[in-house]
């Protein structure tokens, strides 16, 4: 008997999941670096006739699997990647069967999950009542959506009609900390504002904006601040910034891609107490919260302004019952927020706090253990990021980094910060446990012994 299309699909779904299970089962034993020797075999000509599913999946799981970076393992400490919580992965898998678009007509239940997830996050982070926003592909797009919103608000204060375009528009001012993330600069360019006229504010020896060097602000100024410096984890001085911005009616935007989550922690979040004084915030689900890629969130204190800038209808009037597409940059969009909903339900409030505290605790331990080994960590451990160097032997840092990468035991990358060369460790994976940290420290100790003695 001929199988129906849905039976074919459900069998295929299971085959994919089975290979995912096998992949996860071998992850704690394999090297963290990808094995690339067979990569070329994936680059073949398109066959005239389609291949059987088993054949495709075997190639994908085999050559594709070995060519993955084992970032899902607890021994990956590069960039700020995160892993995928079990509930979030399972939700991803179910979503792939559903194939919903996050829109109230074509995916009503996933839109409800997204809206609920947003309200939980607003509450968890202590943001002002009425704050709302949209899930995006990540912090880059979330920053862009909010910079566009801020741009339109600041321009309309100058009498420039929303939607009138930037040609001939009044000038705006942009104030940003020297160590703002490179993607914020990209977002500024995408928003048509460019970066050549930024009024840069110097940072201190932690990478935090110096409050007393912030220029005089006014109501055509966009201030770009950061919660979570990628090298040190440090936070800009929000309390003072919010006060200055409010007094001048400037727009305060906070890029908190990974660092905004620190707010839930008693210890790591104390500098974020006045986070609610900003106008807009960006936070990723796919980093610290550990949902699968890709998922970020744009949050705005003035959601009606976000809608006026992002709405699908070009009337520039807020829709009475907005769809996610009226706030997000995209029209058709996957229901990525449903994974955040599942992740948050699986952790509960206490679980989020515990995970964030665990990242912070591991980062502190790493800084302490590496200092004991003779390394220098030239900053306080604010959250989950640790920049490490050897002041009299900076060149050895790159060789130590490579040695650890090649050992397969752990992975982190080289970094340069405030003129110092070293390496950077990020603790952002829910799966990382004490034993993974032991293996990381042992691999670094071994590399250092072999390279510098
Ligand atoms: C990762 C990161 C970004 C960019 O986020 P994506 O989700 O990759 O687009 C922006 N800002 C900071 C501070 C980041 O760490």
């Amino acid at each position: 008997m001929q199988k129906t299309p849905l039976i074919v699909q459900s069998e295929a779904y299971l085959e994919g999941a089975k290979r995912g299970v096998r992949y996860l089962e071998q992850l704690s034993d394999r090297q963290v670096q990808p094995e690339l020797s067979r990569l070329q075999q994936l680059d073949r000509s398109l066959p005239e006739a389609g291949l059987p599913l088993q054949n495709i999946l075997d190639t994908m799981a085999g050559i594709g699997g070995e060519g993955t970076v084992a970032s899902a393992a607890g021994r990956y400490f590069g960039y700020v990647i995160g892993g995928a919580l079990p509930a979030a992965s399972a939700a991803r898998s179910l979503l792939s069967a559903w194939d919903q678009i996050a829109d109230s007509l074509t995916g009503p239940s996933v839109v409800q999950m997204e809206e609920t997830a947003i309200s939980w996050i607003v509450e968890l982070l202590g943001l002002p009542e009425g704050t709302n926003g949209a899930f995006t592909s990540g912090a880059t797009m979330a920053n862009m959506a909010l910079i566009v919103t801020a741009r339109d608000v600041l321009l309309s204060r100058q009498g420039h009609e929303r939607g009138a375009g930037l040609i001939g528009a009044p000038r705006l001012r942009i104030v940003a900390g020297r160590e703002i993330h490179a993607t914020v600069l990209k977002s500024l360019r995408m928003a048509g504002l460019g970066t050549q006229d930024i009024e840069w504010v110097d940072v201190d020896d932690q990478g935090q904006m110096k409050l007393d060097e912030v220029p005089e602000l006014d109501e055509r100024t966009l201030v770009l601040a950061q919660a979570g410096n990628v090298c040190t984890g440090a936070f800009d001085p929000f309390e003072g910034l919010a006060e200055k911005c409010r007094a001048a009616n400037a727009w305060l935007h906070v890029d908190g891609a990974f660092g905004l989550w620190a707010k839930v922690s008693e210890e790591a979040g104390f500098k974020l107490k006045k986070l609610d004084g900003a106008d807009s915030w960006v936070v990723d689900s796919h980093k610290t919260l550990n949902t699968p890629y890709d998922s970020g969130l744009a949050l705005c204190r003035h959601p009606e302004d976000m809608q006026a800038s992002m709405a699908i209808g070009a009337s520039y009037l807020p829709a009475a019952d907005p769809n996610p597409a009226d706030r997000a940059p995209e029209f058709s969009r996957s229901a990525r927020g449903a994974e955040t909903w599942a992740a948050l339900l699986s952790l509960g409030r206490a679980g989020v706090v515990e995970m964030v505290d665990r990242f912070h605790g591991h980062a502190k331990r790493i800084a302490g253990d590496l200092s004991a080994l003779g390394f220098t960590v030239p900053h306080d451990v604010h959250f989950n990021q640790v920049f490490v160097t050897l002041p009299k032997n900076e060149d050895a840092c790159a060789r130590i980094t490579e040695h650890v990468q090649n050992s397969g035991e752990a992975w982190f990358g080289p970094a340069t910060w405030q003129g110092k060369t070293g390496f950077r460790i990020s603790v952002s994976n829910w799966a990382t446990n004490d034993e993974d940290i032991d293996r990381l420290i042992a691999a670094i100790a071994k590399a250092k012994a072999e390279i510098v003695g």
Side-chain angles (χ1 to χ4, degrees), residues 76-77 79-80 288 358-360 362-364 366 383-386 425-429 432 437 440:
Y76 185 85
F77 302 91
Y79 308 99
V80 196
T288 312
R358 180 155 30 96
F359 294 160
H360 185 45
H362 279 152
K364 284 190 292 183
I366 290 166
F383 182 27
N384 63 329
Q385 303 294 103
V386 187
I425 292 174
S426 170
V427 187
S428 40
N429 191 326
T432 298
I437 306 290
L440 167 73

Side-chain angles (χ1 to χ4, degrees), residues 366-409:
I366 290 166
D369 286 4
L370 293 184
S371 300
L373 283 173
F375 290 94
T376 294
V377 176
H379 63 85
D380 302 335
V381 180
H382 300 272
F383 182 27
N384 63 329
Q385 303 294 103
V386 187
F387 175 80
V388 186
T389 184
L390 278 171
K392 298 215 171 54
N393 200 353
E394 287 191 11
D395 292 346
C397 289
R399 281 182 288 145
I400 290 171
T401 302
E402 212 182 311
H403 189 288
V404 173
Q405 290 176 355
N406 290 336
S407 75
E409 276 293 281

Side-chain angles (χ1 to χ4, degrees), residues 231-304:
C231 281
T232 66
F235 310 107
D236 282 334
F238 294 110
E239 191 163 355
L241 278 174
E243 233 165 77
K244 278 180 189 279
C245 288
R246 207 170 319 119
N249 200 22
W251 184 291
L252 178 58
H253 172 74
V254 182
D255 173 21
F258 69 90
L260 217 65
W261 293 104
K263 175 75 197 294
V264 303
S265 162
E266 190 91 13
E267 191 183 325
F270 79 98
K271 287 213 177 124
L272 297 176
K273 279 208 188 92
K274 290 288 149 106
L275 199 61
D276 61 347
D279 294 285
S280 52
W281 307 263
V282 161
V283 66
D284 271 330
S285 288
H286 59 213
K287 289 180 177 172
T288 312
L289 186 64
N290 279 255
T291 67
Y293 276 82
D294 43 14
S295 182
L297 186 53
L299 292 167
C300 191
R301 175 196 282 273
H302 323 283
E304 65 292 347

Side-chain angles (χ1 to χ4, degrees), residues 177-195:
R178 283 257 176 233
E179 295 191 5
I180 199 95
H181 199 264
T183 60
V184 179
L185 304 179
K186 171 174 168 149
S187 301
L188 278 171
R189 292 193 296 270
M190 289 195 288
L193 294 175
T195 54

